[in-house]
Amino acid sequence: MSQSLTGQEVRQSCRTGKLTAPTPGLASGYTQANLVILPSSVAFDFLLFCHRNPKPCPLLDVTEVGDPEARYVAPNSDLRTDLPRYRVWRHGEMVEEVTDVKHLWRDDFVGFLIGCSFSFEAAMLNANIPVRHIQEGKNVPMYKTNIACTRAGIFSGNLVVSMRPLSPADAIKSVQITSRFSLSHGAPIHWGDAAKIGINDIDKPDFGDAVTIYDGEAPVFWACGVTPQVALLQAKPEIAITHAPGHMFITDMKE
Amino acid sequence: MSQSLTGQEVRQSCRTGKLTAPTPGLASGYTQANLVILPSSVAFDFLLFCHRNPKPCPLLDVTEVGDPEARYVAPNSDLRTDLPRYRVWRHGEMVEEVTDVKHLWRDDFVGFLIGCSFSFEAAMLNANIPVRHIQEGKNVPMYKTNIACTRAGIFSGNLVVSMRPLSPADAIKSVQITSRFSLSHGAPIHWGDAAKIGINDIDKPDFGDAVTIYDGEAPVFWACGVTPQVALLQAKPEIAITHAPGHMFITDMKE
């Protein structure tokens, strides 16, 4: 698999079973997305949760009830087959990881595609701003905060953030850059003292890996696409399907 | 009733039956909103329609299923009583106009509050840009266009626009001003040749009143909150409740 593929080519490789690996670095320049599939009985609540919490849950596309095609960001796609790997959740418990969900698809399913931070990281790198976890070959560190999301129906939970350590000058530039990426979590939500948002140990992320923070740098925090997954676990819907971590849906949208 | 009331005071007057008149000019500085109430069976489709068509349908607030309070833009409000006048629609037909809808409220109802153009008109007037229909004491002229909205489930239809004639300099200023009002339809969608968007006779608006266009002025068109009402009429849901024209919900949000 190569950087030079299009989003459509990566989706096709997933569909034919050739690609089951993580997607970071694939189809460079194309927007990647988090996936959540839910039955229509809870789809209104989840859509409202995303609407009320646009920083962690920026919606790139929402399918019609029963339709597995993401018509706006990826015409002719099929959400049942076009990701390399899925997780299936029943009543809030992860029950299996699979490479397609054709056998599970139902007429009442709705797919939600939610922006992720890969797009703004590419823009930061282009502006010569270091992205520490990429430099160190790690997953981005993510933390549960004490900031409550706005509840919608059965969905609630605290905001999860990702963190990148930056010098003050780079932090200012990164605010300017990421403010333009409203479909990719937008501007940071906090900068500096981690305890202020309920993070007690910056070296112990709740998800992903710890990264080095050098002298003269401060941690900068962005809303993170893991937030809706935490809300899902708390809501415990009868069934939910998501992408497996790092195994994203690649759209036709240029970053 | 006076300009100097708060949103809450106007809502209280509606609730006690004292106010049944139109709201333009009331509670100056407070954001007014269009209301649509629908049963939960079609609420996902309508929320998705608003999400896909944010210029005609900017959402100020959406209630939880069965809850008549607009908790975010007007705490302690009651959508069943706090508007001066309502219209009730059954299967796409207007069946009655009433001053409260307590007797019709159901546990499966969802309320949608949608921004209207009053907010940006106030900002235009503050910048000494003439708003012709206000100068002439008329309703704003509104037109059906040939621009299709993005369909969502049972909801579809063409964009409806409002029109204000402006000189080129004022049109440019109005683009700058209204761009900042994303919850009030945002920047114009067209400027100049009305035929290009399917309007054949600028002197015959589909809703509201014709206004004078002086030499050196061109018509400037904004997405209009009548659009979701047209989509409602086409979708013909079993029941829908809206505000009566000009009889808006007044929020606690400052413009």
Side-chain angles (χ1 to χ4, degrees), chain B residues 69-231:
Chain B
E69 180 182 349
R71 293 180 188 273
Y72 297 100
V73 299
N76 303 313
S77 63
D78 188 334
L79 293 182
R80 301 171 298 185
T81 55
D82 290 2
L83 286 81
R85 193 172 286 274
Y86 301 79
R87 284 186 167 179
V88 183
W89 308 78
R90 293 190 190 270
H91 305 286
E93 300 279 327
M94 209 264 281
V95 294
E96 57 177 336
E97 223 176 78
V98 290
T99 55
D100 79 69
V101 293
K102 267 185 157 161
H103 57 297
L104 296 169
W105 188 260
R106 298 185 342 204
D107 282 351
D108 67 337
F109 275 3
V110 177
F112 298 82
L113 291 170
I114 296 171
C116 79
S117 51
F118 295 171
S119 304
F120 76 66
E121 287 181 349
M124 285 169 68
L125 291 171
N126 283 338
N128 295 315
I129 298 174
V131 179
R132 187 62 32 80
H133 65 274
I134 295 178
Q135 291 178 319
E136 298 186 345
K138 292 174 174 173
N139 289 321
V140 67
M142 291 165 276
Y143 307 85
K144 296 179 184 172
T145 70
N146 59 8
I147 301 167
C149 292
T150 305
R151 170 188 285 274
I154 63 169
F155 296 99
S156 64
N158 282 4
L159 183 69
V160 176
V161 292
S162 62
M163 188 279 285
R164 292 158 193 83
L166 294 170
S167 70
D170 282 339
I172 290 164
K173 264 200 280 180
S174 78
V175 171
Q176 294 176 312
I177 291 170
T178 60
S179 292
R180 300 200 309 265
F181 285 79
S182 61
L183 290 179
S184 181
H185 305 306
I189 61 104
H190 186 60
W191 174 347
D193 184 2
K196 277 267 165 60
I197 57 170
I199 299 169
N200 296 318
D201 189 346
I202 199 79
D203 293 323
K204 295 209 175 113
D206 295 297
F207 312 94
D209 306 314
V211 298
T212 315
I213 303 180
Y214 293 115
D215 268 1
E217 290 183 337
V220 184
F221 300 93
W222 279 264
C224 174
V226 172
T227 309
Q229 293 202 17
V230 168

Side-chain angles (χ1 to χ4, degrees), chain A residues 35-38 61-64 67 79 105 109-113:
Chain A
L35 172 69
V36 173
I37 295 172
L38 287 168
D61 204 347
V62 181
T63 66
E64 301 285 313
D67 182 1
L79 293 181
W105 188 261
F109 275 4
V110 177
F112 298 82
L113 291 170

Side-chain angles (χ1 to χ4, degrees), chain A residues 43-45 47-48 51-52 59 61-65 72 110 112 150-153, chain B residues 43-45 47-48 51-52 59 61-65 72 110 112 150-153:
Chain A
F44 170 75
D45 282 357
L47 181 55
L48 189 54
H51 177 75
R52 288 185 177 163
L59 283 170
D61 204 347
V62 181
T63 66
E64 301 285 313
V65 177
Y72 297 99
V110 177
F112 298 82
T150 305
R151 170 188 285 273
Chain B
F44 171 75
D45 283 355
L47 181 54
L48 189 54
H51 177 74
R52 288 185 176 161
L59 284 170
D61 205 347
V62 181
T63 65
E64 301 285 315
V65 177
Y72 297 100
V110 177
F112 298 82
T150 305
R151 170 188 285 274

Side-chain angles (χ1 to χ4, degrees), chain A residues 38-42 88-93 95 104 106 108-109 154 232 235-241:
Chain A
L38 287 168
S40 64
S41 56
V42 297
V88 183
W89 308 78
R90 293 190 191 272
H91 305 287
E93 300 280 327
V95 294
L104 296 170
R106 299 184 343 203
D108 67 336
F109 275 4
I154 63 169
L232 266 182
K236 303 191 197 322
E238 160 232 332
I239 186 166
I241 298 168

Side-chain angles (χ1 to χ4, degrees), chain A residues 2-241:
Chain A
S2 107
Q3 281 206 318
S4 62
L5 294 175
T6 64
Q8 194 172 16
E9 286 165 341
V10 172
R11 296 197 304 271
Q12 188 59 30
S13 294
C14 296
R15 196 179 300 185
T16 56
K18 263 187 255 168
L19 177 67
T20 58
T23 51
L26 292 185
S28 171
Y30 289 90
T31 302
Q32 301 201 13
N34 299 285
L35 172 69
V36 173
I37 295 172
L38 287 168
S40 64
S41 56
V42 297
F44 170 75
D45 282 357
F46 191 72
L47 181 55
L48 189 54
F49 184 80
C50 293
H51 177 75
R52 288 185 177 163
N53 299 281
K55 290 198 92 165
C57 314
L59 283 170
L60 300 181
D61 204 347
V62 181
T63 66
E64 301 285 313
V65 177
D67 182 1
E69 181 183 349
R71 292 179 189 274
Y72 297 99
V73 298
N76 302 314
S77 62
D78 188 335
L79 293 181
R80 300 171 298 184
T81 54
D82 290 2
L83 285 82
R85 194 173 285 276
Y86 300 80
R87 284 185 167 180
V88 183
W89 308 78
R90 293 190 191 272
H91 305 287
E93 300 280 327
M94 209 264 282
V95 294
E96 56 177 337
E97 222 177 79
V98 289
T99 56
D100 79 67
V101 294
K102 266 186 158 161
H103 57 298
L104 296 170
W105 188 261
R106 299 184 343 203
D107 281 351
D108 67 336
F109 275 4
V110 177
F112 298 82
L113 291 170
I114 296 171
C116 79
S117 51
F118 295 171
S119 304
F120 77 66
E121 288 182 349
M124 285 169 68
L125 291 172
N126 283 338
N128 295 315
I129 298 174
V131 179
R132 186 62 31 78
H133 64 276
I134 295 178
Q135 291 179 319
E136 298 187 344
K138 292 173 173 173
N139 289 322
V140 68
M142 292 165 275
Y143 307 84
K144 295 178 183 171
T145 70
N146 59 8
I147 302 167
C149 292
T150 305
R151 170 188 285 273
I154 63 169
F155 296 100
S156 64
N158 283 4
L159 183 68
V160 176
V161 293
S162 62
M163 186 279 284
R164 292 157 194 82
L166 294 170
S167 70
D170 282 339
I172 290 163
K173 265 200 278 180
S174 78
V175 171
Q176 294 176 313
I177 290 170
T178 60
S179 292
R180 301 200 309 263
F181 285 79
S182 62
L183 290 178
S184 183
H185 305 306
I189 63 102
H190 187 58
W191 173 348
D193 184 3
K196 278 266 166 61
I197 57 171
I199 299 169
N200 295 318
D201 188 346
I202 200 80
D203 293 323
K204 295 207 176 113
D206 294 297
F207 312 94
D209 307 314
V211 297
T212 315
I213 303 179
Y214 292 114
D215 267 2
E217 290 184 337
V220 185
F221 300 93
W222 278 264
C224 174
V226 171
T227 309
Q229 292 200 18
V230 169
L232 266 182
L233 299 195
Q234 296 202 351
K236 303 191 197 322
E238 160 232 332
I239 186 166
I241 298 168

